Amino acid sequence: MIAKRAIYEGRVQGVGFRYTVKQIAMGYDVVGDVKNLADGTVELNLMGEEDEDEEFLSEIVDESTLAHHIKDTNVVEIPLLENVKGFTISA
């Protein structure tokens, strides 16, 4: 298992970004959450096997309807998420 945090910049709030990410997550064996940040970016925390994480992140940036809204993405490895079940949208 590996956990990652991705911060998405661009026109990523007010365009259904979090809901689309949640839909995409249903196709992968990952858990985590996605939320809007006060600075206009979106934060995604996820945990799964490394190949699942990478494919999930790749689909968001390269293949999804969100791709054209994303101007920059910063992904870092983080400590494993604890007590997380499923994939949620956080406030």
Side-chain angles (χ1 to χ4, degrees), residues 50-70:
E50 188 164 9
D51 60 335
E52 287 285 306
D53 287 1
E54 291 302 319
E55 289 176 27
F56 175 47
L57 293 171
S58 177
E59 181 170 342
I60 294 168
V61 173
D62 298 328
E63 302 170 29
S64 75
T65 58
L66 304 170
H68 68 282
H69 292 295
I70 301 168

Side-chain angles (χ1 to χ4, degrees), residues 2-56:
I2 189 168
K4 294 187 177 188
R5 172 172 294 131
I7 303 292
Y8 297 96
E9 296 178 25
R11 188 167 171 245
V12 293
Q13 291 190 13
V15 294
F17 195 95
R18 294 173 299 156
Y19 297 95
T20 302
V21 167
K22 183 176 180 181
Q23 285 295 117
I24 294 169
M26 291 171 39
Y28 293 91
D29 188 16
V30 296
V31 297
D33 72 324
V34 61
K35 65 182 173 185
N36 288 339
L37 298 180
D39 65 0
T41 61
V42 172
E43 177 184 85
L44 166 66
N45 294 298
L46 74 146
M47 183 171 68
E49 295 300 327
E50 188 164 9
D51 60 335
E52 287 285 306
D53 287 1
E54 291 302 319
E55 289 176 27
F56 175 47

Side-chain angles (χ1 to χ4, degrees), residues 75-88:
V75 180
V76 295
E77 190 171 328
I78 59 173
L80 294 180
L81 306 175
E82 295 184 20
N83 303 318
V84 177
K85 293 187 183 345
F87 196 91
T88 61

